Amino acid sequence: MENKVNVFLFGKKYQVPESLTIMKAMEYAGYKLVRGCGCRNGFCGACSTIYRIQGQQELKTCLACQTKVEEGMYVATLPFFPLVKKVYDVEKISPEAQIMMQLYPEIYSCVGCNACTKSCTQGLNVMQYIAFAQRGDFENCAEESFDCVMCGVCSSRCPAGISHPQVAVLARRLYGKYLAPKSEHLEKRVAEINNGDYTKLLEDVMNKPVEELKELYNHREIEK
């Protein structure tokens, strides 16, 4: 028999195998997850979770699909956190510092408590990328926030009410649209597609029987 641990899911006590993640433990306990779960591999951020270990004071954050259960774990999930999402047309804004002041002025109310960084499920330096955003340094903000999965835990812990993931998205969009070096190879390929250079090739592939497609796939030439 596998060792079991006592966990508290939404206030109720359950005994579950110690090898399970929080998400699998919830299903083991009988919960049907129709919200608060997505890719189950740590990429979508839908399973943001807060927990505390019995007898400890620290409130911890994680993604339920990645974190294993512990003895005495009290769990509450955050299937949705109401981030402020401003509407803008990336074609009509420019990569200047004042765009952050116009769209997300709350970032200048940051008190430097670092709760956002401490709670980040991806281990990102959230307070640092907000500092980059404040200065209009969109390249470094985009780089520092690149692995954000938009779970919103950082914002749930922020006393200034900053919507950190949305600020990061804006920075990445501005950097990608206006500041990042152009990819000549990509632009050439897009032009070829728009010119119809691959239309016949795609039609031929779509008309092939499944077995032939499998054969082509299994013996395809793979780039090194």
Side-chain angles (χ1 to χ4, degrees):
M1 294 290 291
E2 185 173 357
N3 291 334
K4 293 187 176 181
V5 293
N6 297 302
V7 297
F8 298 83
L9 306 175
F10 308 105
K12 295 183 179 181
K13 183 179 178 180
Y14 298 92
Q15 284 195 328
V16 301
E18 64 180 0
S19 63
L20 299 182
T21 62
I22 293 174
M23 182 175 286
K24 289 181 178 178
M26 293 173 68
E27 292 178 319
Y28 180 92
Y31 288 90
K32 183 179 181 181
L33 302 181
V34 294
R35 293 172 58 188
C37 63
C39 68
R40 294 174 178 261
N41 281 298
F43 298 113
C44 74
C47 62
S48 51
T49 299
I50 56 176
Y51 69 92
R52 176 176 281 139
I53 304 301
Q54 192 173 31
Q56 298 181 12
Q57 298 300 316
E58 184 181 1
L59 187 64
K60 299 182 180 181
T61 57
C62 69
L63 296 181
C65 68
Q66 294 182 314
T67 306
K68 284 189 177 182
V69 292
E70 297 180 46
E71 175 64 37
M73 178 183 276
Y74 282 79
V75 175
T77 61
L78 296 172
F80 171 74
F81 188 81
L83 299 172
V84 175
K85 183 179 181 181
K86 295 297 177 66
V87 177
Y88 52 84
D89 185 342
V90 74
E91 302 286 349
K92 296 179 180 179
I93 58 177
S94 57
E96 299 173 353
Q98 51 263 44
I99 194 63
M100 284 293 178
M101 175 61 79
Q102 295 170 15
L103 293 173
Y104 294 104
E106 62 272 16
I107 67 172
Y108 300 96
S109 299
C110 174
V111 297
C113 68
N114 211 30
C116 53
T117 300
K118 292 177 181 177
S119 65
C120 179
T121 58
Q122 298 296 92
L124 302 181
N125 192 340
V126 183
M127 191 173 78
Q128 180 60 67
Y129 79 63
I130 291 299
F132 286 136
Q134 291 171 335
R135 299 196 291 267
D137 187 348
F138 301 118
E139 179 178 357
N140 279 315
C141 182
E143 178 68 25
E144 197 73 38
S145 68
F146 188 78
D147 289 323
C148 174
V149 294
M150 306 291 289
C151 70
V153 168
C154 55
S155 298
S156 73
R157 305 282 289 169
C158 179
I162 298 172
S163 291
H164 311 74
Q166 295 297 342
V167 172
V169 165
L170 174 57
R172 292 198 297 273
R173 286 172 175 168
L174 287 170
Y175 177 70
K177 174 69 175 176
Y178 297 107
L179 304 174
K182 297 295 182 183
S183 171
E184 295 182 7
H185 174 77
L186 176 61
E187 291 182 347
K188 179 175 180 291
R189 186 54 52 86
V190 170
E192 291 172 348
I193 292 172
N194 289 333
N195 191 47
D197 293 4
Y198 301 99
T199 301
K200 186 177 185 306
L201 178 63
L202 289 171
E203 290 176 347
D204 289 344
V205 171
M206 292 174 67
N207 290 327
K208 290 183 183 296
V210 173
E211 290 304 317
E212 187 176 347
L213 287 175
K214 289 181 179 179
E215 189 69 17
L216 287 171
Y217 179 80
N218 290 330
H219 294 88
R220 71 194 185 281
E221 184 178 346
I222 300 176
E223 287 188 40
K224 295 183 179 179

